[in-house]
Amino acid sequence: MKRSEIASKYKWDLTDIFKNREEFLSCAKKIPDMLLKIKDFKGNILKSAETLKEFLDFTHDLEKKLEKMEVYNYCIHDVELDNIEAIEGLDLTENLISEYNSSISFVIPEILSADKDYVLHLISEVPELSILDKYFREIFRQKKYILSEDEERILASLDTLSEGYSKTQSYLTDKEIDYGEITVDGKRVKLFASNIPRYSKDKNRQIRKAVYERESESLKQFNETLSNNYISFVKNTEIVAKLRHFDNYLEKVFYENDIDIKVYDTLKSSVKKYNGAYQMYVDIFKRKLRLKEIYAYDMKAPLFDNSKKEYTVAEAKEIILDTFKVFGSDYTNMLNYAFDNGLIDYYPCENKSTGWSSIYSVATLPRVFANFEGKILDISSLSHELGHFCNQYLSVKNNPFEYVYHSTFCAEVASLTNEILFSNLYKTDDKDVKSELLFNFVKIFAGNFFGASRQAVFEESIHMKVAKGEALSSEVLNTEWLKCTKEIFGDEVKGYSPYAWSSIPHFFLGHGYYVYNYATAIVAATNVASKILKKEEGFLDKYMEYLKMGSNLRPQECLKILDIDMTDSKTYDIAIKLFTDAINDLLKLEEER
């Protein structure tokens, strides 16, 4: 389907950001003069509380303009990957963001040159500044890792360069690699990054196998390029970590995100402890497919997709509103707002990126990016992204500029909670749909807890090899991927591709060490959903408070609002029990059919 064939009501409306490209370009022209004005503040930002507030107000206005420019062009580009104006718009915006980061490189060193007590007293004089106490304390917490003004300027300029690694991987895997053709119902079908996920889940085992082999073979042909790109990316992050006097990038990420490294250690020990639970998951495939040996391409087989019903967007809206009324009218009002104001781009089309996501900024309403094809699981995916939407919407509405962006560690909890609840709360007498949704929870849990943990262990392994100065090559990456796969998944599933790591864009997100957040989030979300389903007294009020928090508290403290401790192995035990109980319930349901 071409994008021009999709009705406007099913495409997002960006006119509240910029009415057209001309307005975007007009905004871009204002930025250089604003960047020059920043120099006037140098050496004066702590002169008085009023001067500090003036500086923050000015930079907030500038950042809002840049964020609007970025979101606007990302939204256009994601639905039209070959849109040259969007590509150029993103490049222009990223250049301006780099210049902005360079121009404010003096700020943190200047604040840190002052006495901490003086700064905290200064902000206490103005109500709008006093609420930023945590923000300024955080700056001083990181003081020992902050470099000189000139050094900070150099590192700021490297941020734009690091984005290039992610773009290279994306352009290669999403657009430029030729994945060849497969035969479907006697016809030759061209494979693209956008339709590989669909054919990978085909009921026909030979089609799944053909897709898996074609994708693996195609990635193999670009293995050297993709490997060198990722190795260069990892080296870049480790160099920056060393320049900031960290031992390695893992230490840097957890320190800067203010998350106890014990969270990561507890995750790794828990996922290895519960390898048997993953084997229970694999056994479902063996039973349903009636196979003695399971191969990697079998693990995407649609075991419980017997439901024939297809849903319209209007029906999906009605179902979602009914399901999530458990949260109350404020929440459903937000959902209605998303549906009724052009904030969701629904349908897949030519040159549209794959997957689902939600993008937002302090200056724009959240936007949900979807590839809706009318299946019950598409409604589940839409529920997931709308969980992000509501969390983002509330965070922007309830926080000052500095606290709007919640950590990734917390962000995925809201979305995964929605998807788990949808699997449990959607009311239907259709046993096929019930099985499909129950299995969806099982699959989501396995994919996020075990799947993301595999990715995290692989990522850590490669980063640590670079940090230690070990030699890397495509062969090392491929071998390490299979090693980590066996470590987390066991060896019951055969035929894993050594090249599959190179198709995962998440290794580049957040400049690395992003994927573990999915594993911790599914555990936290399972705990949250359990409390909601049990109707734990007062918990919904706590949850709505959590959604509004932004970064007002440390990430772990945000979760403690929900009585969840991610350093406690018992939190993982609770989640695993719900996972294995769901598997048993699913098998019982199948026996009753």
Side-chain angles (χ1 to χ4, degrees):
M1 181 187 297
K2 295 184 182 299
R3 187 159 180 81
S4 59
E5 298 171 344
I6 300 174
S8 297
K9 65 180 179 179
Y10 300 123
K11 297 186 282 191
W12 48 30
D13 179 6
L14 305 178
T15 55
D16 64 305
I17 305 177
F18 292 114
K19 293 179 181 177
N20 48 45
R21 181 169 170 77
E22 287 67 34
E23 189 174 27
F24 156 72
L25 291 173
S26 176
C27 178
K29 288 179 181 178
K30 297 175 184 177
I31 304 300
D33 287 340
M34 295 183 75
L35 292 175
L36 288 174
K37 188 175 179 181
I38 289 177
K39 295 180 181 179
D40 297 339
F41 290 98
K42 187 176 180 180
N44 297 309
I45 56 175
L46 297 178
K47 187 176 180 181
S48 67
E50 290 72 22
T51 304
L52 177 58
K53 184 177 182 304
E54 182 185 355
F55 171 75
L56 291 175
D57 289 344
F58 179 78
T59 52
H60 291 170
D61 182 46
L62 178 49
E63 286 187 39
K64 286 178 180 179
K65 286 181 169 58
L66 290 169
E67 290 187 4
K68 285 176 64 176
M69 291 165 60
E70 188 173 34
V71 170
Y72 179 73
N73 284 285
Y74 264 123
C75 285
I76 296 174
H77 178 258
D78 282 354
V79 298
E80 299 177 70
L81 292 173
D82 58 351
N83 188 308
I84 298 301
E85 288 185 346
I87 293 171
E88 292 176 350
L90 277 174
D91 189 58
L92 171 61
T93 302
E94 287 168 4
N95 289 339
L96 291 172
I97 290 174
S98 179
E99 289 182 38
Y100 170 69
N101 289 335
S102 180
S103 71
I104 62 168
S105 58
F106 72 90
V107 176
I108 300 301
E110 187 169 321
I111 292 173
L112 291 177
S113 68
D115 181 73
K116 176 182 175 181
D117 291 337
Y118 167 76
V119 173
L120 296 179
H121 175 73
L122 189 70
I123 64 172
S124 70
E125 297 177 3
V126 179
E128 295 90 338
L129 296 180
S130 62
I131 60 175
L132 302 182
D133 183 81
K134 172 185 175 288
Y135 173 77
F136 282 97
R137 288 183 184 277
E138 176 63 15
I139 290 175
F140 280 96
R141 185 182 73 87
Q142 299 194 33
K143 182 174 181 177
K144 62 181 178 179
Y145 297 111
I146 302 299
L147 306 179
S148 70
E149 179 186 336
D150 288 341
E151 290 169 324
E152 288 294 335
R153 185 183 299 110
I154 292 170
L155 289 183
S157 67
L158 292 177
D159 282 345
T160 299
L161 295 179
S162 67
E163 292 294 332
Y165 301 114
S166 176
K167 284 183 179 180
T168 297
Q169 194 266 0
S170 177
Y171 279 120
L172 278 170
T173 58
D174 284 353
K175 192 173 181 181
E176 295 186 2
I177 291 180
D178 183 352
Y179 293 101
E181 298 180 343
I182 60 171
T183 300
V184 179
D185 297 330
K187 298 179 180 179
R188 297 298 289 172
V189 174
K190 177 73 174 171
L191 289 178
F192 300 97
S194 58
N195 66 11
I196 283 176
R198 174 155 54 97
Y199 289 116
S200 295
K201 295 180 283 189
D202 199 276
K203 289 184 177 181
N204 187 316
R205 193 183 192 209
Q206 292 307 310
I207 291 176
R208 296 198 306 272
K209 180 180 179 182
V211 172
Y212 195 82
E213 290 176 347
R214 285 302 311 136
E215 182 181 22
S216 181
E217 186 61 32
S218 299
L219 291 172
K220 179 181 179 181
Q221 292 177 21
F222 284 82
N223 189 223
E224 291 300 324
T225 301
L226 289 164
S227 296
N228 285 325
N229 184 61
Y230 184 57
I231 292 169
S232 297
F233 167 78
V234 174
K235 285 182 176 180
N236 179 72
T237 62
E238 292 295 336
I239 287 171
V240 171
K242 293 290 176 61
L243 289 173
R244 287 201 179 278
H245 310 302
F246 290 98
D247 289 338
N248 52 63
Y249 193 63
L250 179 67
E251 180 187 351
K252 176 179 181 291
V253 168
F254 277 82
Y255 184 86
E256 291 181 346
N257 290 334
D258 204 7
I259 297 173
D260 189 343
I261 194 68
K262 187 180 177 183
V263 168
Y264 187 62
D265 293 336
T266 306
L267 166 66
K268 288 192 296 181
S269 61
S270 296
V271 76
K272 293 172 184 177
K273 172 183 174 182
Y274 284 112
N275 181 266
Y278 188 78
Q279 301 314 308
M280 289 179 65
Y281 177 63
V282 174
D283 285 343
I284 298 176
F285 289 84
K286 281 189 172 183
R287 289 195 190 193
K288 288 292 289 183
L289 298 176
R290 298 180 180 179
L291 295 171
K292 290 184 177 180
E293 285 191 332
I294 290 285
Y295 281 78
Y297 50 79
D298 293 317
M299 295 303 292
K300 292 185 180 180
L303 303 186
F304 298 92
D305 72 337
N306 297 319
S307 172
K308 303 299 181 185
K309 182 172 174 56
E310 293 201 356
Y311 302 82
T312 65
V313 166
E315 288 172 325
K317 174 184 176 182
E318 183 180 349
I319 290 169
I320 286 172
L321 290 174
D322 181 65
T323 301
F324 293 103
K325 66 186 179 185
V326 65
F327 288 137
S329 59
D330 288 346
Y331 197 90
T332 53
N333 286 340
M334 282 187 286
L335 294 176
N336 264 314
Y337 191 79
F339 280 115
D340 297 342
N341 289 276
L343 300 176
I344 306 174
D345 199 274
Y346 291 97
Y347 291 118
C349 59
E350 288 183 22
N351 286 318
K352 183 176 180 178
S353 187
T354 57
W356 298 66
S357 63
S358 181
I359 185 172
Y360 80 118
S361 80
V362 72
T364 61
L365 290 165
R367 253 80 181 176
V368 171
F369 176 89
N371 276 285
F372 184 86
E373 296 186 281
K375 304 297 184 183
I376 188 66
L377 296 189
D378 290 328
I379 303 179
S380 180
S381 295
L382 188 55
S383 299
H384 176 109
E385 298 307 334
L386 286 168
H388 279 308
F389 176 93
C390 293
N391 190 195
Q392 294 161 353
Y393 183 89
L394 288 171
S395 186
V396 172
K397 286 285 186 182
N398 290 281
N399 291 291
F401 188 98
E402 285 77 8
Y403 298 152
V404 162
Y405 296 109
H406 37 259
S407 67
T408 305
F409 182 73
C410 293
E412 290 298 326
V413 175
S415 55
L416 288 168
T417 294
N418 268 22
E419 206 159 6
I420 296 168
L421 287 176
F422 184 78
S423 294
N424 284 272
L425 293 177
Y426 176 52
K427 299 173 183 177
T428 178
D429 294 326
D430 188 326
K431 291 185 178 180
D432 289 330
V433 172
K434 283 184 178 179
S435 293
E436 192 168 358
L437 288 177
L438 186 56
F439 181 64
N440 189 49
F441 162 61
V442 170
K443 184 169 61 174
I444 289 169
F445 189 96
N448 282 279
F449 184 61
F450 295 103
S453 293
R454 170 181 64 161
Q455 294 174 14
V457 171
F458 167 78
E459 181 179 36
E460 181 188 5
S461 173
I462 302 307
H463 274 268
M464 289 306 177
K465 288 180 184 297
V466 170
K468 295 174 183 177
E470 296 181 21
L472 286 180
S473 65
S474 59
E475 184 177 351
V476 171
L477 268 62
N478 300 337
T479 301
E480 198 64 27
W481 176 251
L482 293 180
K483 175 185 174 183
C484 294
T485 298
K486 183 175 181 179
E487 180 180 347
I488 303 300
F489 289 174
D491 55 9
E492 194 167 350
V493 178
K494 313 297 182 184
Y496 280 109
S497 168
Y499 316 109
W501 66 266
S502 63
S503 67
I504 301 171
H506 297 76
F507 289 137
F508 298 90
L509 294 182
H511 300 298
Y513 284 115
Y514 183 95
V515 290
Y516 86 91
N517 289 286
Y518 291 108
T520 55
I522 191 62
V523 171
T526 304
N527 277 259
V528 171
S530 174
K531 292 172 183 288
I532 293 172
L533 292 170
K534 290 177 181 177
K535 298 182 179 179
E536 185 176 303
E537 186 177 353
F539 185 77
L540 284 176
D541 290 335
K542 291 180 181 180
Y543 186 62
M544 294 307 292
E545 180 187 355
Y546 170 81
L547 294 181
K548 297 175 183 177
M549 280 307 299
S551 56
N552 266 292
L553 297 174
R554 296 180 62 216
Q556 286 166 256
E557 290 174 354
C558 284
L559 285 180
K560 284 186 178 179
I561 292 174
L562 305 174
D563 303 318
I564 293 173
D565 182 359
M566 296 308 298
T567 65
D568 187 347
S569 62
K570 292 178 182 177
T571 301
Y572 295 82
D573 296 342
I574 292 169
I576 288 293
K577 185 179 187 307
L578 288 170
F579 172 65
T580 54
D581 284 350
I583 291 176
N584 291 326
D585 288 345
L586 183 62
L587 295 175
K588 183 179 179 181
L589 185 61
E590 285 300 294
E591 289 174 0
E592 295 172 352
R593 291 164 66 87

